[in-house]
């Protein structure tokens, strides 16, 4: 019997596989296809305080092994989420995590404060790293000080455990991870998408309506894996790894690099059953290796 | 909603760049309604990465058909599949065309441009089964863009064809043909699928004729399930314009709600 459960300290997951924000809607969209209770957890689509229109289409462009998106965090706003969606997620026996967004620090705080007063959430993921919504400046995850301030501010108003989601679009991601830890974040998740461009040569126009977007999918996996490895060596709090995980082997590699749990994003589009299949694959692998608890492999990279 | 990872290809047919694939997919066939679509994995490799959304062209017992034109890398790979191969398909996705009880005994125009005919064959069959009279308008650039002409005629539906070069039927755009026909008679409802320019023009024609209509839209899609919001398009609902998902809120929308580029 393999124990797939993962203890993040502030949160115990039945297995290490979490559906990633932005690829899994508000959670309910995949319900017709499988039992969501199979998941270790799920992170709902990013929430601002107010409803948000999102970016002009086209919003998607394919690249070899990758997907560039510029959705722009279109969404219903946190109050509609609390009123209409959360009650429908509350009965799930999986960790439901809300993804918190903001145009500025105060909005992050308002969203987090509202959510921490609702029942049914296991944690908040602080989205300080979306590449598609910057307003004439950098997102907080591109600056350790801004990261520290945002995490600190949210900590003041929210009682829920906080996972800070980091951007790969930085020179030294470990500096930002350390800032999140110092500000009191209970975990970090990385990486969000890589800022990217796709061009239609025929028209010489960008393929995306918003010009730039965020690259995800297998194309970014080695880069994400490297960043998880670097961050996990430097910080004490748990790391949740993501970036191009498409199968159990990918997920296990992230754990060996130092991730205590993983998120699966773009794979949900290509194979809607990706998450349950990865969970099964991890279990089969652990059995074949005689591993009784997954914690044995976290950070076990031999270097 | 089902994911069938091994839907067997029973047969294929092709006419130039147009292809018809018949799949054995009992669960999906059972639940399908006209206007819904499948998300199809075109390759086992990661390039291209995303599934391709394709209309359900027909349902027959435990089989579904897709009809498509090679338009890029994804459809090119799909066109290379043969009978005996398997496809990983997800569906039926989206909201289909409305099939209203009051369509009974009424004339319903179904207007398809090129590969846009895809969802209309299934629709016309269901309309007929419900006692309505489908009238088909099928337009293309030239005769070779009308590979399903014979199939439509064999189904016994009144079929009007148009080609830009006059090689078959009316010479000119299918929208002009519909407009002409509307001066003679007024149908109860109109359904359409085709190129953007065709549908934008048809929307104006329907508005002028005070003819209620529904159009099926196309888009690149991420998930096909309403989760990613990658296929958003501006739609006017209850006086308010906002981005809705073609995959989940559509792909069929009332003509007057669709915001066209340049509007």
């Amino acid at each position: 019997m393999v124990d797939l459960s993962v203890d993040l300290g502030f949160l115990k997951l039945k297995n290490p596989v979490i559906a990633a924000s932005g690829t899994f809607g508000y959670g309910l969209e995949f319900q017709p296809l499988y039992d969501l209770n199979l998941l270790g957890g799920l992170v709902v689509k990013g929430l601002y305080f107010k409803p948000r229109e999102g970016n002009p289409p086209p919003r998607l462009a394919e690249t070899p092994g990758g997907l560039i998106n510029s959705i722009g965090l279109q969404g219903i706003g946190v109050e509609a989420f609390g009123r209409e969606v959360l009650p429908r997620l509350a009965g799930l026996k999986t960790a439901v995590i809300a993804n918190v967004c903001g145009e500025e620090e105060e909005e992050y705080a308002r969203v987090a404060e509202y959510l921490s007063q609702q029942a049914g959430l296991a944690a908040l993921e602080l989205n300080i790293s979306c590449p598609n919504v910057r307003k004439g400046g950098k997102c907080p995850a591109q600056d350790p000080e801004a990261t520290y301030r945002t995490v600190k501010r949210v900590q003041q108003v929210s009682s829920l455990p906080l996972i800070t989601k980091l951007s790969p679009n930085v020179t030294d991601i470990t500096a930002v991870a350390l800032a999140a830890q110092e500000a009191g974040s209970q975990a970090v998740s990385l990486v969000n998408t890589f800022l990217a461009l796709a061009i239609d040569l025929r028209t010489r126009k960008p393929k995306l309506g918003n010009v730039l977007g965020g690259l995800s999918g297998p194309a970014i996996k080695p880069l994400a894996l490297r960043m998880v490895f670097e961050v996990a060596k430097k910080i004490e709090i748990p790391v949740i790894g993501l970036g191009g995980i498409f199968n159990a082997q990918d997920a296990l590699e992230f754990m060996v690099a130092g991730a205590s749990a993983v998120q699966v994003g773009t794979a949900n589009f290509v194979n809607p059953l990706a998450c349950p299949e990865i969970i099964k694959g991890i279990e089969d692998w652990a059995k074949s290796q005689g591993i009784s608890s997954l914690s044995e492999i976290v950070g076990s990279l031999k270097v | 909603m089902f994911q069938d990872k091994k839907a067997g290809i029973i047969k294929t047919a092709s006419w130039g760049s147009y292809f018809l694939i018949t799949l054995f997919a009992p669960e999906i066939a059972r639940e399908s309604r006209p206007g819904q679509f499948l998300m199809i994995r075109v390759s086992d490799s990661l390039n291209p990465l995303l599934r391709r959304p394709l209309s359900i062209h027909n349902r027959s017992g435990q089989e579904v058909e897709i009809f498509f034109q090679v338009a890029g890398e994804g459809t090119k790979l799909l066109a290379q599949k043969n009978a005996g191969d398997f496809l990983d398909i997800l569906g039926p996705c989206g909201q289909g065309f409305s099939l209203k009880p009051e369509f009974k005994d009424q004339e319903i125009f179904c207007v398809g441009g090129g590969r846009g005919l895809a969802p209309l064959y299934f629709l016309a069959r269901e309309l007929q089964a419900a006692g309505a009279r489908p009238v088909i308008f099928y337009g293309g650039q030239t005769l070779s863009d009308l590979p399903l002409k014979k199939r439509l005629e064999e189904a016994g539906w009144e079929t009007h064809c148009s080609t830009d070069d006059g090689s078959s039927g009316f010479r000119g755009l299918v929208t002009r043909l519909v407009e002409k026909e509307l001066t003679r008679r007024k149908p109860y409802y109109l359904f359409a699928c085709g190129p953007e320019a065709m549908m934008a023009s048809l929307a104006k024609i329907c508005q002028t004729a005070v003819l209620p209509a529904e159009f099926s839209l196309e888009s690149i899609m991420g998930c096909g399930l309403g989760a990613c919001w990658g296929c958003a398009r501006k739609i006017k609902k209850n006086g308010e314009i906002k981005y809705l998902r073609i995959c989940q809120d559509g792909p069929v929308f009332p003509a007057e709600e669709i915001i066209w580029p340049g509007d």
Side-chain angles (χ1 to χ4, degrees):
Chain A
M1 186 64 190
V2 186
D3 180 13
L4 290 184
S5 72
V6 167
D7 192 353
L8 299 176
F10 60 93
L11 177 64
K12 199 166 173 176
L13 304 173
K14 66 173 82 169
N15 65 63
V17 178
I18 303 168
S21 183
T23 66
F24 212 66
Y26 295 111
L28 301 164
E29 290 82 348
F30 283 73
Q31 220 163 21
L33 288 165
Y34 65 87
D35 179 3
L36 299 178
N37 291 324
L38 292 171
L39 296 169
L42 64 90
V43 191
V44 301
K45 195 169 164 48
L47 295 161
Y48 282 83
F49 200 82
K50 293 252 180 295
R52 206 179 155 89
E53 187 182 40
N55 287 339
R59 290 176 169 185
L60 300 174
E62 276 177 301
T63 66
L67 172 65
I68 309 179
N69 88 80
S70 137
I71 311 296
L73 287 163
Q74 178 169 357
I76 57 176
V78 75
E79 288 176 318
F81 172 76
R83 214 171 38 236
E84 292 153 28
V85 182
L86 198 49
R88 299 169 65 193
L89 297 172
L92 292 175
K93 291 179 183 63
T94 186
V96 176
I97 299 165
N99 183 278
V100 175
C101 304
E103 296 254 342
E104 23 68 44
E105 256 169 65
E106 276 322 294
E107 187 172 10
Y108 281 105
R110 280 181 78 195
V111 173
E113 186 173 17
Y114 178 89
L115 289 170
S116 71
Q117 288 157 5
Q118 310 297 311
L121 290 172
L124 300 180
E125 181 177 66
L126 199 54
N127 186 359
I128 56 170
S129 49
C130 180
N132 288 322
V133 293
R134 296 179 297 175
K135 259 197 169 173
K138 295 200 276 188
C139 61
Q142 287 182 295
D143 174 26
E145 279 175 36
T147 297
Y148 181 89
R149 280 198 311 272
T150 310
V151 174
K152 201 84 192 162
R153 180 74 187 93
V154 169
Q155 285 285 350
Q156 287 167 358
V157 294
S158 163
S159 50
L160 285 165
L162 206 56
I163 303 159
T164 304
K165 188 168 183 177
L166 305 182
S167 168
N169 303 308
V170 293
T171 311
D172 180 7
I173 195 167
T174 65
V176 190
L178 283 166
Q181 173 177 273
E182 204 180 317
S185 189
Q186 277 90 338
V188 289
S189 53
L190 61 137
V191 296
N192 206 321
T193 55
F194 286 78
L195 199 56
L197 170 66
I199 290 174
D200 182 339
L201 183 59
R202 194 179 52 83
T203 59
R204 295 199 202 177
K205 285 184 171 174
K207 284 190 180 173
L208 295 175
N210 205 39
V211 186
L212 302 183
L215 179 64
S216 64
I220 70 165
K221 195 195 102 181
L223 301 166
L225 203 52
R226 182 263 296 175
M227 290 181 163
V228 164
F229 174 61
E230 288 178 338
V231 167
K233 275 194 301 187
K234 280 262 177 84
I235 64 174
E236 307 295 321
I237 56 176
V239 172
I240 299 170
L242 70 150
I245 295 177
F246 263 54
N247 52 45
Q249 183 178 325
D250 294 336
L252 289 159
E253 286 174 19
F254 273 80
M255 296 185 78
V256 168
S260 299
V262 296
Q263 292 183 4
V264 175
T266 307
N268 293 312
F269 304 162
V270 179
N271 175 17
L273 299 177
C275 287
E277 287 179 9
I278 290 170
I279 295 163
K280 176 76 171 50
I282 291 174
E283 187 177 10
D284 291 347
W285 181 83
K287 266 185 202 156
S288 75
Q289 299 293 307
I291 288 166
S292 57
S293 168
L294 281 181
S295 58
E296 289 172 39
I297 67 158
V298 174
S300 63
L301 186 70
K302 297 171 185 165
V303 281
Chain B
M1 174 77 61
F2 302 95
Q3 182 179 5
D4 190 338
K5 292 200 173 199
K6 289 199 92 177
I9 296 178
I10 293 169
K11 59 180 188 236
T12 63
S14 67
W15 307 265
S17 63
Y18 294 91
F19 292 80
L20 183 72
I21 293 179
T22 308
L23 291 159
F24 183 77
E27 290 168 317
I28 290 174
R30 193 181 63 233
E31 297 222 338
S32 294
R33 285 178 286 109
Q36 290 187 301
F37 63 95
L38 304 177
M39 289 295 282
I40 302 179
R41 186 98 193 262
V42 294
S43 159
D44 292 333
S45 85
L46 297 171
N47 190 28
L49 191 67
L50 296 175
R51 288 168 181 266
R52 294 298 187 263
L54 289 170
S55 285
I56 298 168
H57 174 63
N58 190 23
R59 164 184 60 188
S60 179
Q62 299 183 312
E63 299 168 11
V64 287
E65 290 176 345
I66 49 168
F67 171 72
F68 61 96
Q69 184 180 23
V70 171
E73 286 308 309
T75 40
K76 197 158 126 192
L77 288 167
L78 196 57
Q80 290 163 8
K81 305 285 181 189
N82 297 303
D85 291 346
F86 294 94
L87 284 178
D88 175 350
I89 63 177
L90 174 71
C93 301
Q95 319 298 324
F97 296 108
S98 333
L99 288 168
K100 304 173 197 275
E102 62 264 32
F103 285 173
K104 192 170 168 7
D105 299 327
Q106 300 286 354
E107 244 175 24
I108 311 290
F109 280 13
C110 302
V111 186
R115 64 176 185 256
L117 191 86
L120 302 178
Y121 186 79
F122 187 11
L123 173 67
R125 282 193 60 184
E126 294 289 313
L127 285 170
Q128 188 177 31
R133 283 197 308 282
V135 179
I136 315 288
F137 294 83
Y138 187 16
Q141 289 179 357
T142 185
L143 176 62
S144 61
D145 289 314
L146 307 177
L148 297 180
K149 181 170 182 279
K150 199 166 147 230
R151 190 175 202 198
L152 296 167
E153 286 163 357
E154 280 168 5
W157 305 316
E158 181 184 332
T159 300
H160 303 261
C161 291
S162 74
T163 47
D164 297 355
D165 62 5
S167 54
S168 178
F170 175 79
R171 178 196 291 266
L173 297 173
V174 71
T175 48
R176 184 74 198 94
L177 179 59
V178 172
E179 209 172 11
K180 237 173 57 135
E181 202 59 25
L182 284 173
T183 60
R184 278 202 276 269
R185 69 218 256 216
K186 188 168 175 196
Y188 188 78
Y189 213 84
L190 183 145
F191 293 102
C193 181
E196 283 278 312
M198 178 200 107
M199 291 192 288
S201 157
L202 208 48
K204 289 202 177 72
I205 292 167
C206 291
Q207 191 183 22
T208 309
V210 200
L211 174 60
E214 289 176 23
F215 297 169
S216 176
L217 302 179
E218 204 175 43
S219 170
I220 182 174
M221 287 182 192
C223 63
L225 300 168
C228 75
W229 293 78
C231 60
R233 166 137 188 180
K234 278 195 170 161
I235 301 288
K236 189 176 184 176
K237 281 263 184 234
N238 310 320
E240 194 189 346
I241 295 173
K242 53 182 175 186
Y243 286 121
L244 294 184
R245 298 159 297 184
I246 290 182
C247 75
Q248 181 65 30
D249 304 306
V252 177
F253 292 96
E256 74 273 11
E257 292 182 358
I258 301 167
I259 307 295
W260 304 98
D263 267 7

